[in-house]
Each structure stands twice: as C-alpha cells, then as structure tokens.
C-alpha cells in the first residue's frame, strides 16, 4: 500500500512538472458588455456555490460573490449572474440539459466548471469528446465560453491524494481542449495546488479550501470567486 501511494505521488509530481515545462497557455480576459448574462455551469461545486451552501459550512457562495462584485465594479452594465448545476453530474449530463436549462436562458457567457466526477467515473475519451462537443455547441450559439480545470478530491499538495493521478490526467485533457479551442480559461487545479503549497504546511487532506477535500468552504468560495473575476474586465 505504501509503495503504491509513493508511486502514485511520484507519477502525479511528474505530470505537474511536465505541465509546468509546457508553459502557461495563452489566456485573455472577457470584456463585459451592457446586458451580459453570465451562467456558471457544473456539478455540486457550482450547485453549492449557487445556493450559498451547505448551511453551517458556507455563508456565501462564489456565484453571489461574483454578482455582488460585478454590481460594484461594472454597475453601469447591469450584468446578471446565474447558475445551472446538479450534484454528481459529468460532462455528458451537461450535454443532456444544455438546450432546456442553459440555452433557454439566453446566456452571453458560460463558465464551465466540471471534472472531478468525470475523472472518477467515465473514460477519458468520453470526457474529451463530450467537452469538445459542449464547447462547440455553445460557440455555435455565439456564446463566449470560459473553461475551468477541475479542482480537488483531497487537499494534500504533494500528489498523494488517492485520486490525484486521475485528476491531473483529466485536468490536462481540459488544458489540451483550451489550447485547441482557444477559449479563455481558469486553471483552478493549478491555482488550488499553488494555494495548498503556501497555506497547507501540514499537508492536510481537507480544511484548507474545502471542508471535505472536494466541496469548497467559505475560504474556497472566496478564492474561486476571485479566480473567476480575473477573467472579466
């Protein structure tokens, strides 16, 4: 068991190193316009980010933080921020609800935040083709896409969380799609790891940006909101 954990940690560290060597993907900010409608699309992370939950663990979700911030910084534009998300969903699930639950709301910007469930439940080929299709269908409707990389299932910063190798593999698929589609992005996975290295000296599995290793606590909600806001100007 110990040998397996060490090997998993080593493989994850190698993948992180190779990603760093590849350099940052060119990124850009999205200039907000009057009447823009931003919609965050995802799984339980965005669900809780939308309902300010769960109670007792989160006071304010990242969706509300983004809305309140834009109300101050872009008060003349009347930007509306919405969310569509269900716990446990994967990219194929997002595709199934796209027409009814997303396109019907007429968003001008869709931020896709997904991947932790996918990495543990579906083949990487399905993940890649489904995410490509999702972005293509949104772009066909002239919707600006902002793609996020997945975040965490465990907050240890040395690659020894149980699912780290799989998460890194799927995050790299997201980066490949970002490069190919040339969409603005939030590399949340990279941002989370950097935050843990600075703020998790005891290498705890949770309690830093999450309350359970996966779902964001108040600090995590604020951190994600700040990262999301960086993509808008």
């Amino acid at each position: 068991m110990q040998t397996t954990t060490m090997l998993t940690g080593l493989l994850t560290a190698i993948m992180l190193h190779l990603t760093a060597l590849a350099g940052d993907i060119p990124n850009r900010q999205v200039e907000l316009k009057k009447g823009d409608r931003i919609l965050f699309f995802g799984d339980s992370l965005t669900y809780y980010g939308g309902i300010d939950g769960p109670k007792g663990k989160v006071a304010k979700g990242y969706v509300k933080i983004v809305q309140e911030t834009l109300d101050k910084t872009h008060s003349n534009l009347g930007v509306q921020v919405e969310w569509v998300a269900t716990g446990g969903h994967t990219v194929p699930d997002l595709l199934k609800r796209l027409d009814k639950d997303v396109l019907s709301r007429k968003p001008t910007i869709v931020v896709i935040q997904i991947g932790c469930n996918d990495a543990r439940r579906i083949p990487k080929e399905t993940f890649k083709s489904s995410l490509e299709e999702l972005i293509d269908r949104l772009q066909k409707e002239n919707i600006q896409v902002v793609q996020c990389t997945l975040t965490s299932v465990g907050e240890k910063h040395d690659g020894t969380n149980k699912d780290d190798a799989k998460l890194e593999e799927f995050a790299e698929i997201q980066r490949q799609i970002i490069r190919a589609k040339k969409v603005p992005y939030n590399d949340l996975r990279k941002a989370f790891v950097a935050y843990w290295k600075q703020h998790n000296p005891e290498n705890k599995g949770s309690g830093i940006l999450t309350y359970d290793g996966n779902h964001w606590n108040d600090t995590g909600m604020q951190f994600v909101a700040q990262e999301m806001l960086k993509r808008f100007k």
Side-chain angles (χ1 to χ4, degrees), residues 40 45-46 49 60-63 65-66 111 113 148-152 186 188-189 191-192 195 209-210 214-232:
F40 291 100
L45 298 175
T46 291
K60 186 182 294 186
Y62 83 87
V63 176
I65 297 172
V66 170
V111 182
Q113 204 291 305
C148 302
T149 57
L150 52 78
T151 54
S152 70
N186 277 309
L188 293 180
R189 178 66 180 175
F192 267 51
Y195 187 94
L209 293 172
T210 77
N214 177 223
H215 298 95
W216 306 325
N217 56 23
D218 270 325
T219 302
M221 290 291 184
Q222 293 164 12
F223 182 75
V224 169
Q226 291 168 7
E227 293 299 309
M228 295 297 187
L229 286 162
K230 289 177 182 178
R231 294 279 56 81
F232 304 120

Side-chain angles (χ1 to χ4, degrees), residues 120-196:
R120 294 175 292 167
R121 286 168 40 191
I122 67 174
K124 61 183 180 181
E125 295 81 10
T126 302
F127 178 67
K128 183 175 184 294
S129 62
S130 298
L131 187 54
E132 289 171 334
E133 180 183 349
L134 178 60
I135 293 173
D136 287 345
R137 287 177 61 183
L138 288 166
Q139 291 180 328
K140 185 178 180 181
E141 300 295 327
N142 295 315
I143 296 169
Q144 175 64 66
V145 174
V146 178
Q147 178 65 52
C148 302
T149 57
L150 52 78
T151 54
S152 70
V153 184
E155 296 195 77
K156 295 179 180 179
H157 55 69
D158 60 355
T160 57
N161 300 291
K162 175 177 173 288
D163 296 301
D164 272 352
K166 202 71 174 175
L167 293 175
E168 287 297 336
E169 181 180 21
F170 274 58
E172 187 54 35
I173 291 171
Q174 290 173 315
R175 296 183 187 110
Q176 292 169 7
I177 294 172
I178 288 164
R179 282 193 192 92
K181 302 292 184 184
K182 296 181 172 61
V183 295
Y185 67 93
N186 277 309
D187 197 337
L188 293 180
R189 178 66 180 175
K190 184 177 179 180
F192 267 51
V193 172
Y195 187 94
W196 297 329

Side-chain angles (χ1 to χ4, degrees), residues 79-95:
V79 175
Q80 296 183 42
V81 181
E82 301 178 290
W83 59 275
V84 171
T86 299
H89 270 193
T90 61
V91 179
D93 295 311
L94 301 194
L95 281 170

